[in-house]
Amino acid sequence: MYPVFCSKKLKAPEHQVAGHSAKEGRLGPLVDGEGRFFKPFQHDFRGENEARFYKFFSSNKKAPDHIHGYFPAYHDIQVVEASNGSGKLPHVVLEDVVSDYLRPTIMDTKIGSRTWYPDVSERYFNKCMRKDRRTTSVPLGFRISGFKIFDHQESSYWMPDKKVVHGYNVDEARLAFRKFVSSNSLADSIPDCAFASDVYGGSNGILAQLLELKAWFETQTLYHLNSSSVLMFYENDESVLMKGGDDAVRAQVKLIDFAHFVDGNGVIDHNFLGGLCSFIKLIQDILESSDKSDETGTYRFGNGH
Ligand SMILES: Nc1ncnc2c1ncn2[C@@H]1O[C@H](COP(=O)(O)OP(=O)(O)OP(=O)(O)O)[C@@H](O)[C@H]1O
Ligand SMILES: O=P(O)(O)O[C@@H]1[C@H](O)[C@H](O)[C@@H](OP(=O)(O)O)[C@H](OP(=O)(O)O)[C@H]1O
């Protein structure tokens, strides 16, 4: 049995960019406003499986401490009122990773060229194959699930519709990664990549973090993370950006969504590793082309744009 937790304070997260949402009476995650994220058990085996992942992983000494830091902290399972009014339901209680950001700019990217895995039902296999082929999962090894960017020119968030994002081709996905670190994301079709070096570059930036994760995935055989995501985010509040530098933007990578994880059984997770390498290459290309633009004073597209 799981502990029952009563709170009227739980509400739908303000900064969720993908996945099942608690809005409009549906079943989705909730936050307590004090740094905790409550993810409801999903149907079939998924909720149980994700809870199993967090239980194993949070106490797994075989994964080094710095790798644990790339996952939301796990705060057990609690039974709370589900967001869809269906009554009490177990929720995995996690650290709300964006709770202390003023204006987080966030992207959720599903990693792997395939989201299915051995022994799934034929129905699930077909559903995954269809999505993997229709999106950038097959050609790029990942697909963007959703993102939101704080646009300084408009003083508001820009969050493209889920259907639009899921329809991105390879070039559009690459462009989204450039917009993600630009100050002119909405107004201009040519992103300025103004924040690329602070967010993607530097010793604490997204690239450095991804490289550390890659080094672990090159050897870890504990878990296969099917259909899991890289969540990347940074502080995009003007007062913080004025200070400049990678410390101010607090760019972070977290791995999330383990409803479909399976035990690694001594085998490297090639599917996740391959997707991660492709993700890293895209970030490196952006950094390289924005370095060139710094030299010339103008921003230039890489990758044939
Ligand atoms: N620990 C967390 N802290 C803050 N936000 C989070 C956290 N985990 C997830 N999110 C937000 O919730 C979204 C959905 O998360 P997640 O992928 O775990 O849900 P899901 O419903 O299983 O998704 P899917 O339907 O794609 O499988 C993420 O894109 C992110 O915006
Ligand atoms: O990317 P989208 O369009 O938001 O679609 C969701 C996404 O593919 C999830 O991975 C999937 O969960 P599973 O991988 O666990 O099936 C979910 O299925 P669901 O709605 O059947 O839970 C989809 O709705």
Side-chain angles (χ1 to χ4, degrees), residues 139-188:
L140 272 181
F142 58 82
R143 64 174 180 256
I144 302 175
S145 294
F147 65 102
K148 68 190 279 187
I149 298 175
F150 188 76
D151 189 281
H152 293 278
Q153 290 172 353
E154 300 290 324
S155 280
S156 63
Y157 272 105
W158 176 57
M159 183 162 160
D161 189 73
K162 164 175 158 170
K163 287 205 182 98
V164 174
V165 176
H166 293 179
Y168 280 171
N169 62 27
V170 167
D171 285 346
E172 287 162 336
R174 287 190 174 134
L175 188 62
F177 274 71
R178 293 172 190 274
K179 283 182 181 271
F180 187 69
V181 289
S182 292
S183 66
N184 63 340
S185 305
L186 248 189
D188 246 303

Side-chain angles (χ1 to χ4, degrees), residues 211-227:
L211 289 171
E212 207 165 50
L213 271 173
K214 175 178 163 254
W216 186 60
F217 276 94
E218 278 165 354
T219 56
Q220 81 83 16
T221 58
L222 300 166
Y223 309 108
H224 285 192
L225 304 186
N226 304 300
S227 214

Side-chain angles (χ1 to χ4, degrees), residues 31-48:
V31 290
D32 66 0
E34 292 168 9
R36 289 183 187 215
F37 185 93
F38 292 68
K39 182 168 173 179
F41 272 35
Q42 288 170 351
H43 57 99
D44 307 337
F45 59 89
R46 292 161 215 219
E48 299 281 353

Side-chain angles (χ1 to χ4, degrees), residues 226-238:
N226 304 300
S227 214
S228 298
S229 290
V230 162
L231 192 71
M232 60 174 178
F233 49 94
Y234 67 95
E235 180 58 86
N236 204 346
D237 186 68
E238 207 151 1

Side-chain angles (χ1 to χ4, degrees), residues 49-247:
N49 201 45
E50 181 151 40
R52 195 169 72 92
F53 174 83
Y54 276 108
K55 261 190 229 161
F56 282 178
F57 182 73
S58 61
S59 58
N60 191 334
K61 302 265 182 294
K62 287 184 186 155
D65 285 350
H66 72 278
I67 293 300
H68 277 273
Y70 289 113
F71 293 76
Y74 170 62
H75 299 298
D76 217 342
I77 292 157
Q78 286 179 358
V79 176
V80 300
E81 281 301 327
S83 61
N84 60 355
S86 62
K88 293 198 184 318
L89 193 73
H91 288 62
V92 182
V93 187
L94 302 169
E95 164 196 10
D96 178 355
V97 295
V98 293
S99 68
D100 63 347
Y101 284 67
L102 295 169
R103 294 214 192 279
T105 280
I106 313 173
M107 185 183 284
D108 177 327
T109 308
K110 210 182 260 291
I111 305 295
S113 60
R114 58 166 175 79
T115 50
W116 56 272
Y117 48 99
D119 301 330
V120 294
S121 68
E122 193 179 343
R123 188 186 160 94
Y124 186 70
F125 171 80
N126 288 333
K127 169 177 145 174
C128 290
M129 280 293 270
R130 218 175 25 249
K131 284 194 189 176
D132 295 348
R133 284 182 175 149
R134 274 192 201 150
T135 63
T136 62
S137 292
V138 167
L140 272 181
F142 58 82
R143 64 174 180 256
I144 302 175
S145 294
F147 65 102
K148 68 190 279 187
I149 298 175
F150 188 76
D151 189 281
H152 293 278
Q153 290 172 353
E154 300 290 324
S155 280
S156 63
Y157 272 105
W158 176 57
M159 183 162 160
D161 189 73
K162 164 175 158 170
K163 287 205 182 98
V164 174
V165 176
H166 293 179
Y168 280 171
N169 62 27
V170 167
D171 285 346
E172 287 162 336
R174 287 190 174 134
L175 188 62
F177 274 71
R178 293 172 190 274
K179 283 182 181 271
F180 187 69
V181 289
S182 292
S183 66
N184 63 340
S185 305
L186 248 189
D188 246 303
S189 56
I190 301 181
D192 60 15
C193 289
F195 315 131
S197 60
D198 285 348
V199 175
Y200 289 153
S203 53
N204 299 319
I206 298 289
L207 178 61
Q209 295 176 48
L210 291 170
L211 289 171
E212 207 165 50
L213 271 173
K214 175 178 163 254
W216 186 60
F217 276 94
E218 278 165 354
T219 56
Q220 81 83 16
T221 58
L222 300 166
Y223 309 108
H224 285 192
L225 304 186
N226 304 300
S227 214
S228 298
S229 290
V230 162
L231 192 71
M232 60 174 178
F233 49 94
Y234 67 95
E235 180 58 86
N236 204 346
D237 186 68
E238 207 151 1
S239 63
V240 174
L241 291 170
M242 297 281 271
K243 292 187 208 148
D246 54 359
D247 286 347

